[in-house]
Amino acid sequence: MESSSVFGVRLSLKQRYFLLLCITAAAIIVYQFTSRPKLTRMSRVEGLRADSSHFTLERKPFRILGGSIHYFRVPRAYWEDRMLKLKACGLNTITTYVPWNLHEPQRGVYDFKDQLDLEAYLRLAAKLDLWVILRPGPYICAEWDLGGLPSWLLRDHNMRLRTTYSGFTKAVNAFFDQLIKKVVPFQYSEGGPIIAVQVENEYGSYAKDEEYMHFIKEALLSRGITELLLTSDNKEGLKLGGVKGALETINFQKLSLSDLTHLDAIQPQKPKMVMEYWSGWFDLWGGLHHVYTAEDMLPVVTEILKLDMSINLYMFHGGTNFGFMNGALAVGVPASKPMVTSYDYDAPLSEAGDYTTKYHLLRNLFSHYHTQPLPELPPLQERRAYQPVVMQQHLSLWDSLHFADKPFKSELPVNMENLPVNNNNGQSYGYTLYETAINSGGTLNSKNNIRDRALVFVDKQFVGVLDYKVQKLALPDGKGKRTLSLLVENCGRVNYGKTLDEQRKGLVGDIQLNQHLLRDFIIHSLDMKPGFVNRLESSGHWMSMRQRPSFPGFFQAKLHVDSYPKDTFIKLSGWSKGVVFINGKNLGRYWSIGPQQTLYVPGPWLHRGANQVIVFEEQETDGKIQFASSPDYGMTVDVQ
Ligand code: GLA
């Protein structure tokens, strides 16, 4: 009989076939076990159902005890820590939005890696035996720039966001083609953790198009979503927010029985769920830090549970609006007030993952709804107040322009989103510098076309600030041709309300000098993306701090970390307004008007040795940055 040797062992043809068969079978098993998101829940019959006054899972009564943690607001290295803390609080479900603007930064360019690896997040939830309610939007509100919609949508001047306008539906379809196929294998029926999927977000408060909710629902179903569908609305939105085939849920902070009766009337004999039980609130620059005390909160949560309702704590852990991702609150048209960088939210788990009084009280409460003891509390992350760091070098804004995209010439002012940058997707975030020549001083009138704030310079000399309140500025007289520069900051787009279509930034129309319309602009886009920050860092243009810095400008220093890097907070006491980058990562904006006084620096974003700190500052510095081991969110006010 024919035989040959495998690893030195002589085998017959039959034996070799058998070996091949075994190897193939083993490979199939390994593939199954590594490619499927969840393998321990193989014998599934029926997922989450809402067929009577309470939910069932696997045909047994089930109560959702949920908490929101947004993967895009928490450093990836801490996802597991935060989820374990959620579990140890007695919660069984994690809920998250999906931020379209981060996943599709340019039309047709998708990013689901690293910090945005949604599949890894879902896999982790499954590993920790947590259920997931996915809230894929496409609009998510969430105190997030434009409620998570990509700003390039606004390049179309006829755009009607959150409607069945074809320019919008086409973009949603393209995004959902990418997103939904990633999450389908993580559904309950596929062995995954997703037990429900939310259709849009609080559409009842927007309700500009009767067809729209149906479109979004079909966009999910046609791409393979099979789990329970939900909608989520505040009391006023309930009437118009629903869509046939999806369970309506309610959002609130104070419990009112009449709201529940209202929900019952709209939707009798269905499980009741508070999809967003607001555990705290968000803050605005120039305002106070909102707190919602544990004493106020606990009786409400207790009552919700007594009423046999399901609950999701929004937020369980807020995290941070890193970068330029904060949203804004509309305060009339077009004025808005931007949200701060921290999204601590006064939630049960703090911005840096600390337990709060609320956490402990809730844990005690939820423990009564479990038959088994709750898991031990995971240990806290260590914190450190590093020694103050003295700034070593500076580089003026004007010198930094060499490292930005090529400027663009235009007779008329052009808004950020319509600039021919980023492969013709426009500029999304940050600052835009508009320059033009002037021959006289006089009254500069913004005609309220500045979104949102501009520092004004004549021949690089600071003249003043224009914003929604101040629309006129006296420019000094001078001889000959001079350069007028407007450094316009997009402070964050409105994320809630009816004005989403009007969220274009930069100069959105004409400005005048002595009633003459200004023309012939040179426009620099300064979105301060990592590429730009890296080019800056390695440039030879930096000057020593012995030479007087000019403002606005970049300042750099090294933070030396001699042991394992720990979490910390940056304090910029002698500075006025700007942005901080650590090792190229944008930590977010700071502003001396507060309330927020410290920026969260996650330990995993630091390394042993020298860490590069770059600060972009608009107006002043005391030349050093300080660190603190606990945050300062400013003067507090109780949530009303
Ligand atoms: C609404 C939205 C959330 C969030 C909260 C306030 O309920 O659905 O995304 O904006 O308000 O924090």
Side-chain angles (χ1 to χ4, degrees):
M1 200 201 271
E2 198 192 324
S3 72
S4 64
S5 113
V6 176
F7 302 127
V9 181
R10 288 196 78 75
L11 296 176
S12 69
L13 198 61
K14 238 186 185 169
Q15 284 170 320
R16 271 189 286 151
Y17 275 134
F18 183 67
L19 187 66
L20 194 69
L21 211 68
C22 290
I23 293 171
T24 315
I28 290 171
I29 291 168
V30 167
Y31 174 78
Q32 286 280 324
F33 274 80
T34 49
S35 66
R36 296 284 294 235
K38 185 68 194 172
L39 298 145
T40 51
R41 296 166 177 160
M42 297 292 264
S43 54
R44 293 182 173 187
V45 180
E46 194 178 85
L48 189 68
R49 292 287 178 274
D51 300 333
S52 65
S53 58
H54 53 252
F55 288 113
T56 56
L57 186 62
E58 283 301 332
R59 300 189 176 148
K60 290 196 200 81
F62 179 71
R63 189 206 296 263
I64 298 163
L65 297 176
S68 291
I69 306 179
H70 299 149
Y71 56 100
F72 45 97
R73 281 180 155 134
V74 180
R76 178 168 175 168
Y78 285 152
W79 286 352
E80 182 155 0
D81 172 74
R82 307 311 195 239
M83 282 192 200
L84 285 169
K85 287 172 177 165
L86 176 140
K87 219 180 142 161
C89 193
L91 301 180
N92 56 24
T93 303
I94 188 161
T95 59
T96 185
Y97 282 131
V98 176
W100 180 9
N101 61 343
L102 291 186
H103 286 295
E104 194 177 352
Q106 297 182 4
R107 192 189 281 273
V109 176
Y110 302 98
D111 184 357
F112 286 94
K113 290 191 313 291
D114 307 324
Q115 188 62 52
L116 295 175
D117 192 340
L118 174 59
E119 289 162 285
Y121 194 70
L122 296 172
R123 209 171 288 125
L124 194 60
K127 183 182 105 179
L128 303 179
D129 272 319
L130 286 168
W131 301 116
V132 173
I133 297 179
L134 193 71
R135 314 175 82 196
Y139 162 84
I140 61 170
C141 194
E143 289 69 76
W144 199 249
D145 188 281
L146 201 59
L149 302 175
S151 66
W152 45 257
L153 288 167
L154 296 174
R155 286 173 72 79
D156 174 353
H157 280 276
N158 299 317
M159 178 51 69
R160 281 185 295 124
L161 299 168
R162 304 178 75 193
T163 69
T164 50
Y165 169 66
S166 63
F168 186 69
T169 53
K170 226 174 105 194
V172 172
N173 280 329
F175 175 56
F176 272 15
D177 279 347
Q178 301 301 317
L179 170 70
I180 304 301
K181 69 178 179 209
K182 289 189 188 295
V183 303
V184 158
F186 288 91
Q187 295 187 97
Y188 182 89
S189 56
E190 301 282 326
I194 298 176
I195 51 170
V197 176
Q198 185 178 305
V199 187
E200 238 272 349
N201 193 74
E202 291 195 334
Y203 196 68
S205 312
Y206 198 70
K208 287 195 181 180
D209 181 340
E210 279 178 19
E211 309 291 310
Y212 176 69
M213 284 299 278
H214 178 74
F215 159 71
I216 297 293
K217 186 186 84 178
E218 287 303 315
L220 295 169
L221 294 178
S222 62
R223 288 173 177 84
I225 294 295
T226 51
E227 302 307 323
L228 184 75
L229 296 180
L230 308 163
T231 56
S232 153
D233 279 281
N234 55 33
K235 183 202 165 194
E236 290 74 37
L238 278 178
K239 207 163 134 231
L240 298 174
V243 59
K244 197 163 177 274
L247 179 80
E248 292 201 51
T249 65
I250 187 166
N251 304 336
F252 59 74
Q253 188 161 62
K254 306 260 154 69
L255 179 67
S256 126
L257 290 179
S258 70
D259 292 358
L260 297 184
T261 322
H262 181 55
L263 178 60
D264 243 344
I266 290 180
Q267 192 178 250
Q269 284 303 305
K270 289 284 175 189
K272 280 197 264 314
M273 171 167 189
V274 201
M275 176 55 96
E276 291 184 21
Y277 179 69
W278 300 314
S279 65
W281 203 242
F282 56 83
D283 300 339
L284 305 172
W285 286 118
L288 298 168
H289 172 52
H290 290 89
V291 292
Y292 179 44
T293 63
E295 297 77 62
D296 283 340
M297 187 186 91
L298 211 73
V300 187
V301 180
T302 310
E303 191 57 28
I304 290 171
L305 296 179
K306 272 200 199 138
L307 288 168
D308 246 351
M309 294 177 67
S310 279
I311 184 170
N312 173 58
L313 299 166
Y314 184 99
M315 298 297 294
F316 170 75
H317 168 53
T320 310
N321 299 317
F322 292 114
F324 294 124
M325 285 303 119
N326 63 276
L329 184 77
V331 285
V333 187
S336 61
K337 287 189 177 174
M339 277 134 198
V340 303
T341 299
S342 169
Y343 200 58
D344 178 83
Y345 210 83
D346 197 28
L349 202 62
S350 77
E351 178 178 22
D354 286 343
Y355 301 113
T356 62
T357 310
K358 268 182 209 170
Y359 181 98
H360 293 296
L361 294 173
L362 283 172
R363 182 170 190 259
N364 179 43
L365 174 65
F366 291 135
S367 70
H368 301 303
Y369 292 85
H370 289 265
T371 46
Q372 303 285 321
L374 293 180
E376 294 275 298
L377 289 186
L380 287 173
Q381 301 297 334
E382 281 185 65
R383 206 73 60 65
R384 202 168 143 191
Y386 294 99
Q387 286 304 306
V389 164
V390 175
M391 305 317 284
Q392 290 156 345
Q393 291 179 308
H394 63 91
L395 182 111
S396 74
L397 167 79
W398 320 106
D399 285 339
S400 78
L401 298 176
H402 305 293
F403 307 100
D405 280 332
K406 232 177 71 216
F408 163 65
K409 283 190 185 157
S410 167
E411 190 196 344
L412 303 177
V414 175
N415 59 292
M416 273 175 110
E417 297 78 2
N418 286 89
L419 291 174
V421 293
N422 294 319
N423 299 318
N424 273 330
N425 285 274
Q427 182 186 344
S428 294
Y429 313 107
Y431 293 78
T432 311
L433 181 67
Y434 295 81
E435 298 196 309
T436 185
I438 52 169
N439 296 311
S440 73
T443 306
L444 183 69
N445 185 345
S446 76
K447 306 191 70 186
N448 213 0
N449 280 324
I450 289 173
R451 306 281 183 281
D452 300 288
R453 224 180 126 251
L455 302 187
V456 181
F457 305 85
V458 174
D459 278 350
K460 301 182 182 167
Q461 295 303 308
F462 176 68
V463 184
V465 178
L466 291 173
D467 57 19
Y468 294 108
K469 284 204 196 109
V470 182
Q471 294 169 21
K472 285 186 185 153
L473 202 63
L475 299 188
D477 286 327
K479 282 199 200 106
K481 213 159 122 178
R482 293 176 300 160
T483 304
L484 171 73
S485 308
L486 275 84
L487 180 65
V488 184
E489 184 193 3
N490 162 4
C491 295
R493 295 185 182 82
V494 162
N495 58 280
Y496 178 78
K498 305 265 184 186
T499 61
L500 294 181
D501 293 341
E502 282 106 73
Q503 294 306 312
R504 294 181 185 87
K505 296 293 180 181
L507 288 187
V508 297
D510 282 319
I511 53 169
Q512 291 178 336
L513 179 58
N514 300 328
Q515 326 230 324
H516 295 295
L517 301 180
L518 290 173
R519 290 287 175 259
D520 298 322
F521 291 89
I522 295 186
I523 309 174
H524 301 260
S525 151
L526 278 162
D527 44 15
M528 301 193 191
K529 288 198 291 204
F532 167 78
V533 178
N534 288 338
R535 288 195 294 279
L536 261 197
E537 186 194 327
S538 48
S539 96
H541 288 55
W542 293 91
M543 299 212 283
S544 147
M545 287 301 280
R546 282 191 291 277
Q547 282 158 289
R548 233 172 97 98
S550 87
F551 293 94
F554 292 86
F555 295 81
Q556 69 158 317
K558 297 265 189 293
L559 165 66
H560 290 276
V561 176
D562 51 14
S563 54
Y564 189 78
K566 312 221 164 70
D567 283 7
T568 188
F569 290 90
I570 284 195
K571 227 165 116 176
L572 292 127
S573 314
W575 305 66
S576 78
K577 182 175 193 326
V579 191
V580 181
F581 304 86
I582 287 215
N583 297 323
K585 282 203 157 52
N586 185 338
L587 294 183
R589 299 175 232 250
Y590 64 90
W591 197 348
S592 57
I593 61 170
Q596 184 179 357
Q597 300 294 333
T598 50
L599 288 178
Y600 175 51
V601 186
W605 290 3
L606 299 173
H607 48 246
R608 234 182 239 261
N611 292 269
Q612 180 72 243
V613 186
I614 294 185
V615 182
F616 172 68
E617 162 62 44
E618 294 181 4
Q619 280 180 312
E620 62 175 322
T621 172
D622 67 357
K624 59 178 184 311
I625 48 181
Q626 295 175 51
F627 296 89
S629 54
S630 48
D632 178 356
Y633 296 125
M635 286 232 305
T636 60
V637 63
D638 272 355
V639 177
Q640 290 307 310

